[in-house]
Amino acid sequence: MNQIVNICKALSDETRFLIVSKLKNVNELCACKLLEIVECNQSTLSHHMKILVDSGLVVARKEWKWVHYSLSKEKINELIIFLNR
């Protein structure tokens, strides 16, 4: 139950909700593309991504100096199951 609370808290911010909305339509996005989408600076994006990754909703994959983000299908399914109860 605590994990669901953390996911809901992560989604309570409009910018993070936008990030998740964009990630659901693609396999993954690099941080540079997310910067263009949310129109914020790098440190603000890092703050939002840390919250999303810590909640388990988003997975980060580092490739050399780039970080790529994708949704955790497992956590999405847990959220759907919880909401359908």
Side-chain angles (χ1 to χ4, degrees), residues 23 27-34 49 53 58-71:
L23 286 173
N27 189 34
E28 69 177 13
L29 285 173
C30 70
C32 59
K33 292 293 182 190
L34 287 170
M49 298 314 296
V53 169
V58 172
V59 176
R61 178 180 67 82
K62 191 161 184 165
E63 185 177 306
W64 194 52
K65 65 178 184 173
W66 306 110
V67 181
H68 300 266
Y69 296 98
S70 61
L71 291 180

Side-chain angles (χ1 to χ4, degrees), residues 4-85:
I4 298 298
V5 170
N6 288 338
I7 290 172
C8 291
K9 284 180 182 178
L11 291 173
S12 68
D13 179 86
E14 189 175 337
T15 300
R16 291 191 294 270
F17 190 84
L18 173 64
I19 291 167
V20 169
S21 295
K22 296 302 180 181
L23 286 173
K24 76 180 177 80
N25 296 320
V26 296
N27 189 34
E28 69 177 13
L29 285 173
C30 70
C32 59
K33 292 293 182 190
L34 287 170
L35 277 170
E36 294 172 12
I37 291 168
V38 299
E39 298 178 347
C40 66
N41 62 41
Q42 192 275 328
S43 64
T44 301
L45 179 65
S46 292
H47 169 74
H48 288 304
M49 298 314 296
K50 178 175 178 9
I51 292 170
L52 288 169
V53 169
D54 287 350
S55 76
L57 192 58
V58 172
V59 176
R61 178 180 67 82
K62 191 161 184 165
E63 185 177 306
W64 194 52
K65 65 178 184 173
W66 306 110
V67 181
H68 300 266
Y69 296 98
S70 61
L71 291 180
S72 167
K73 293 181 184 5
E74 178 183 328
K75 291 298 177 190
I76 295 291
N77 288 334
E78 287 178 21
L79 182 60
I80 290 169
I81 290 167
F82 171 78
L83 294 173
N84 284 327
R85 285 189 195 160

